[in-house]
C-alpha cells in the first residue's frame, strides 16, 4: 500500500476511534436517552407476552419515573400527579387492551439545566393491534422534565404538546 | 488498440473491474468522502426522504409511497390555501403530511361534510370520498394555519387535523 493511502487510512481510523470513544462515554445526556429507551422497552408488549415478563416490565417501569410525576395527557385520561405505582397500574390496564403494542421515541432533544434537572422534547409513537384486531397508531410530541436521583435520571413531568388543535 | 502500444487503454474486463474495485488512492478516498458529505447534507437538510405511512392523504398520496420533502418551499413565502405541507413533531423523523385549508384569521367549519371557509363552501377536487363531518365554526389563530388530510372517508374523531403553527411547517412534498 502506498504511503499517502496509509496516511489517509490512519486518519480514518483515528476519526473512527474518536467517534466511538465519544459515543461510548456515559454522559448525563446518554443516561437520559437510556431512560427513554427503558420506558419504551417497558411499554412495548409483544404478542403472547408471558405474565412474568409483564410483571418484570411493570416493576422496571416504576424505576423510570420520579416519586411524583406530573402528567398532562387528556387522550390517556391522565392529568395530575402520579406515583410510579399508579403509572405502572395505569400501564397494566392500558396494555391489557392491546394484543401487541410498541412504543418508540424519535428526535429526542435534551437540554441540561443544571442542579440535577433536564428538559427533553421527544416524539413518541405508539403502534399496535387492539384485542379486537383493529390496528392502532398514535404519534405525539412530549415535553418532559427529568430529575437526577442518585446518579440516575427519572421522569418528573410529561406534557403532551398539541401539534394539531381542532 | 495498436500492437505493441503500451497506452493506458485497458481491456474491457479490466476497466469494469477498476470501475467496481478501484484502487484506494487519496484522490479516490477524497471523492468518495465528498460525495458522502454532499449526500448527507442534501438528504438531511434540503430534500428529506419521506415514507408515507397511513391513508390520511388518500387519494393524493398513497400509503407506503415515497416522496421527498423540499425544505426551501416556504423560505420566502407563507403556505397558501390548498398547499400540501409537511408538519413536524419534535424533530424531522416523524412528520405529518396535510393540506392547508384555511389561513390565520379565517373561519373554518365543516357542514354536512362540506368545508366552509369564511362562510363560503370550498371546492375540493382532491377529496374523493364523501363524508358527514360536522365541525362548528372556529377562527384560525394568528401565526397558524388549519390543516386537514384529503381522506375524509374516515370518522372525524379518527382523523388528525386542526390548526398548527406555521413554524412547524418544514416544507412541502416535492411531487
Amino acid at each position: 500500500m502506498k504511503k499517502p493511502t496509509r496516511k489517509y487510512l490512519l486518519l480514518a481510523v483515528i476519526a473512527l476511534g474518536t467517534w466511538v470513544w465519544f459515543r461510548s462515554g456515559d454522559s448525563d445526556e446518554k443516561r437520559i436517552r437510556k431512560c427513554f429507551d427503558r420506558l419504551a422497552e417497558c411499554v412495548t408488549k409483544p404478542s403472547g407476552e408471558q405474565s412474568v415478563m409483564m410483571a418484570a416490565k411493570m416493576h422496571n417501569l416504576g424505576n423510570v419515573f420520579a416519586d411524583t410525576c406530573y402528567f398532562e395527557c387528556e387522550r390517556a385520561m391522565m392529568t395530575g400527579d402520579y406515583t410510579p405505582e399508579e403509572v405502572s397500574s395505569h400501564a397494566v390496564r392500558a396494555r391489557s387492551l392491546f394484543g401487541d403494542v410498541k412504543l418508540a421515541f424519535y428526535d429526542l432533544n435534551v437540554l441540561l439545566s443544571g442542579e440535577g434537572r433536564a428538559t427533553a422534547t421527544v416524539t413518541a409513537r405508539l403502534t399496535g393491534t387492539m384485542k379486537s384486531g383493529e390496528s392502532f397508531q398514535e404519534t405525539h410530541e412530549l415535553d418532559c422534565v427529568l430529575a437526577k436521583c442518585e446518579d440516575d435520571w427519572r421522569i418528573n413531568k410529561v406534557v403532551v404538546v398539541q401539534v394539531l388543535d381542532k | 488498440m495498436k500492437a505493441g502500444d503500451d497506452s493506458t487503454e485497458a481491456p474491457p474486463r479490466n476497466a469494469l473491474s477498476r470501475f467496481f474495485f478501484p484502487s484506494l488512492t487519496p484522490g479516490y478516498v477524497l471523492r468518495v468522502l465528498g460525495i458522502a458529505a454532499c449526500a448527507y447534507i442534501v438528504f438531511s437538510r434540503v430534500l428529506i426522504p419521506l415514507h408515507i405511512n397511513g391513508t390520511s392523504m388518500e387519494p393524493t398520496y398513497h400509503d407506503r409511497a415515497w416522496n421527498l420533502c423540499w425544505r426551501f418551499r416556504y423560505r420566502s413565502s407563507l403556505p397558501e390555501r390548498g398547499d400540501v405541507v409537511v408538519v413536524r413533531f419534535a424533530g424531522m423523523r416523524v412528520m405529518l403530511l396535510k393540506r392547508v385549508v384555511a389561513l390565520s384569521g379565517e373561519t373554518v367549519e365543516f357542514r354536512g361534510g362540506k368545508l366552509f371557509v369564511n362562510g363560503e363552501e370550498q371546492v375540493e377536487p382532491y377529496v374523493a370520498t364523501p363524508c358527514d363531518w360536522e365541525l362548528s365554526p372556529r377562527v384560525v389563530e394568528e401565526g397558524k394555519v388549519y390543516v386537514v388530510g384529503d381522506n375524509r372517508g374516515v370518522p372525524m374523531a379518527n382523523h388528525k387535523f386542526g390548526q398548527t403553527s406555521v413554524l412547524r411547517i418544514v416544507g412541502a412534498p416535492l411531487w
Side-chain angles (χ1 to χ4, degrees), chain A residues 29-30 37 45 75 90 97-98 114-115 126 135 138:
Chain A
E29 189 178 326
K30 204 170 177 199
D37 288 344
K45 174 189 176 182
R75 184 110 173 136
H90 201 92
L97 302 172
F98 294 93
E115 296 169 8
L126 198 66
S135 53
E138 280 281 332

Side-chain angles (χ1 to χ4, degrees), chain B residues 130-175:
Chain B
C131 72
D132 57 354
W133 291 10
E134 293 289 343
L135 187 78
S136 58
R138 58 211 56 211
V139 179
V140 183
E141 291 168 23
E142 195 61 40
K144 294 188 175 183
V145 289
Y146 207 89
V147 294
V148 188
D150 289 353
N151 184 4
R152 313 277 168 82
V154 289
M156 202 176 84
N158 295 351
H159 191 100
K160 284 190 170 54
F161 67 95
Q163 60 179 337
T164 190
S165 170
V166 174
L167 300 175
R168 283 194 177 272
I169 295 173
V170 292
L174 200 60
W175 59 84

Side-chain angles (χ1 to χ4, degrees), chain B:
Chain B
M1 193 187 290
K2 289 174 195 169
D5 186 0
D6 280 336
S7 69
T8 53
E9 211 175 316
R13 198 162 174 270
N14 280 352
L16 204 69
S17 169
R18 271 199 317 205
F19 181 78
F20 285 109
F21 305 103
S23 52
L24 209 62
T25 59
Y28 173 76
V29 171
L30 279 176
R31 275 202 304 275
V32 167
L33 286 176
I35 290 167
C38 286
Y40 176 77
I41 291 165
V42 167
F43 292 115
S44 66
R45 299 275 180 270
V46 185
L47 286 167
I48 299 168
L50 298 175
H51 181 227
I52 299 165
N53 188 356
T55 57
S56 91
M57 281 301 285
E58 294 271 4
T60 315
Y61 295 99
H62 301 290
D63 186 23
R64 297 180 190 282
W66 287 92
N67 209 313
L68 292 166
C69 171
W70 171 235
R71 291 290 317 279
F72 294 157
R73 175 69 180 78
Y74 299 111
R75 276 290 156 106
S76 57
S77 64
L78 286 170
E80 291 175 10
R81 221 190 282 165
D83 285 0
V84 176
V85 295
V86 180
V87 180
R88 68 162 181 82
F89 283 96
M92 280 188 281
R93 286 195 57 199
V94 184
M95 299 190 279
L96 292 168
L97 195 62
K98 298 284 171 190
R99 190 181 295 273
V100 175
V101 297
L103 307 174
S104 64
E106 293 181 327
T107 306
V108 62
E109 71 173 301
F110 278 100
R111 229 185 288 157
K114 304 274 186 217
L115 172 71
F116 289 80
V117 176
N118 292 333
E120 282 181 28
E121 186 181 335
Q122 301 297 303
V123 180
E124 296 185 285
Y126 40 81
V127 177
T129 44
C131 72
D132 57 354
W133 291 10
E134 293 289 343
L135 187 78
S136 58
R138 58 211 56 211
V139 179
V140 183
E141 291 168 23
E142 195 61 40
K144 294 188 175 183
V145 289
Y146 207 89
V147 294
V148 188
D150 289 353
N151 184 4
R152 313 277 168 82
V154 289
M156 202 176 84
N158 295 351
H159 191 100
K160 284 190 170 54
F161 67 95
Q163 60 179 337
T164 190
S165 170
V166 174
L167 300 175
R168 283 194 177 272
I169 295 173
V170 292
L174 200 60
W175 59 84

